[in-house]
Amino acid sequence: MTPPQRRCLRSVVRGAGAYLPPTVVTNRELAERVDTSDDWIVQRTGITRRHLAGEGETTSTLALAAAEAALRDAGLSGADIDLVIVATSTPDYTFPSVATQVQAGLGMHGGVAFDLQAVCSGFVFAVATADKFLASGSHRRALVIGAETFSRLLDWEDRTTCVLFGDGAAALVFEAEEGEGTVHDRGVLTSHLRSDGRHCDKLRTDGGPSATGTVGQVRMNGRDVFRHAVGMVTDVVTDAFAITGLTARDLDWFVPHQANRRIIEASAEKLGIDPAKVVVTVDQHANTSAASIPLALSVALADGRIRRGDLVMIEAMGGGFTWGSALIRW
Ligand code: UT7
């Protein structure tokens, strides 16, 4: 246990909300379009279905719906928020940011709003960034959103990628609150972010505004990503344990990025986390990139698993490579 430090500002979760587009596509339906099978997808990834954005739905409309739900849950309105961060790699437009579109949708004209791009690690990066703002005292209430429409970036002829992803958005509202500076405080207790650009070609799009003047499509060396994933995420989770003096046994819930059930199970096993404490939604949502962790949190909140005071570890790894963890007392 870490010794008590001077009083500090903690980023405490005030509310959560999610939005999934109503269109659901099962593996069997996908197998009618590309050369794949329900068996292959389930065995290699754990995915059974995914939600896909429909006509008129974009990352900003998903993000706004999630933001409104999170604000309702917190009993707050846009006017109470002074920081909006949207983690996304699939913005509606190159600019303006999705965050300013959300701000407009909420009728906000104060505070600061920006997007953050760290692909599948985006939500962990956004939570860590918001926490730095709130802990410094510069901002008081943050809306942190993970929102993606990866379906718009997929090559629907490429079976090695198109079966893996889904669309969705989810959000948390954080409020700065004074804590004791111990691990018993509510709020974000620690966060650990890393990246290694040597791997930036392994998971990428083959286009972009400056390189090609197009959006491009997802290209991935799945085996290479898989090979690095478990080591990277367990490293940053171990960092969070080391700095707080907490252990896998102290965790109530482990809410990893939802890319592949095999990666999730191997990471939990390596960390010594009881499988009963692992929240898995990849089967229902597929990989929704920056939205996957807040979507998984929203499911575990809605079904009563995550409760006030619970110790929750989130972690992710994604394109770049980027990876990170954050330990939150709910
Ligand atoms: O969010 C962070 C980033 N993403 C990830 O974390 C994804 C990490 N990677 C993975 O999850 C896995 O590597 C995949 C699920 C993408 C692939 O699983 P794998 O066990 O690594 O399979 P593989 O790429 O080694 O492919 C095995 C075989 C290949 O056939 P051959 O060469 O053995 O004849 C593929 O062509 O499976 C074939 N294959 C498919 N077959 C049916 C690849 N995709 C499909 C498919 N349906 N959709």
Side-chain angles (χ1 to χ4, degrees), residues 36 40 44 120 159 203 222-223 257 259-260 262 287 317:
T36 188
W40 190 95
R44 302 284 175 141
C120 298
R159 68 175 183 172
L203 175 46
R223 256 180 241 187
H257 170 50
N260 185 314
R262 290 187 291 150
N287 181 350
M317 180 265 188

Side-chain angles (χ1 to χ4, degrees), residues 83-152:
L83 173 64
V84 180
I85 305 180
V86 177
T88 188
S89 300
T90 48
D92 294 21
Y93 305 105
T94 303
F95 64 84
S97 65
V98 175
T100 54
Q101 291 180 283
V102 169
Q103 220 189 357
L106 293 174
M108 290 172 63
H109 28 79
V112 60
F114 58 89
D115 288 0
L116 186 155
Q117 200 266 70
V119 207
C120 298
S121 311
F123 191 74
V124 179
F125 276 52
V127 166
T129 304
D131 180 46
K132 311 274 183 219
F133 274 78
L134 298 193
S136 77
S138 68
H139 291 72
R140 181 135 186 263
R141 290 199 196 93
L143 183 56
V144 180
I145 306 168
E148 303 277 18
T149 47
F150 254 61
S151 63
R152 308 266 158 85

Side-chain angles (χ1 to χ4, degrees), residues 34-37 40-41 44-45 120 158-161 163-165 203 220-227 229 257-260 262-263 287 289 317-319:
V34 286
D35 179 19
T36 188
S37 66
W40 190 95
I41 303 173
R44 302 284 175 141
T45 71
C120 298
D158 175 9
R159 68 175 183 172
T160 68
T161 51
V163 304
L164 303 175
F165 295 92
L203 175 46
M220 174 166 71
N221 183 335
R223 256 180 241 187
D224 254 357
V225 179
F226 197 108
R227 203 159 53 79
H257 170 50
Q258 308 282 321
N260 185 314
R262 290 187 291 150
I263 296 175
N287 181 350
S289 188
M317 180 265 188

Side-chain angles (χ1 to χ4, degrees), residues 1-5 10 181-184 240-246:
M1 178 113 43
T2 45
Q5 299 153 11
R10 294 291 198 190
T182 75
V183 296
H184 304 294
F241 286 145
I243 206 157
T244 55
L246 295 166

Side-chain angles (χ1 to χ4, degrees), residues 1-2 5 8-13 127-128 130-132 135 174 177-192 236 239-247 250-252 309-314 325-330:
M1 178 113 43
T2 45
Q5 299 153 11
C8 64
L9 285 172
R10 294 291 198 190
S11 308
V12 176
V13 178
V127 166
D131 180 46
K132 311 274 183 219
F174 289 93
E177 197 177 273
E178 230 173 61
E180 300 290 335
T182 75
V183 296
H184 304 294
D185 289 346
R186 293 184 65 212
V188 178
L189 301 179
T190 187
S191 60
H192 302 267
V236 279
D239 287 347
F241 286 145
I243 206 157
T244 55
L246 295 166
T247 70
D250 297 309
L251 285 187
D252 293 292
D310 280 357
L311 191 62
V312 180
M313 178 74 77
I314 63 173
S325 69
L327 187 57
I328 305 169
R329 180 154 327 263
W330 220 261

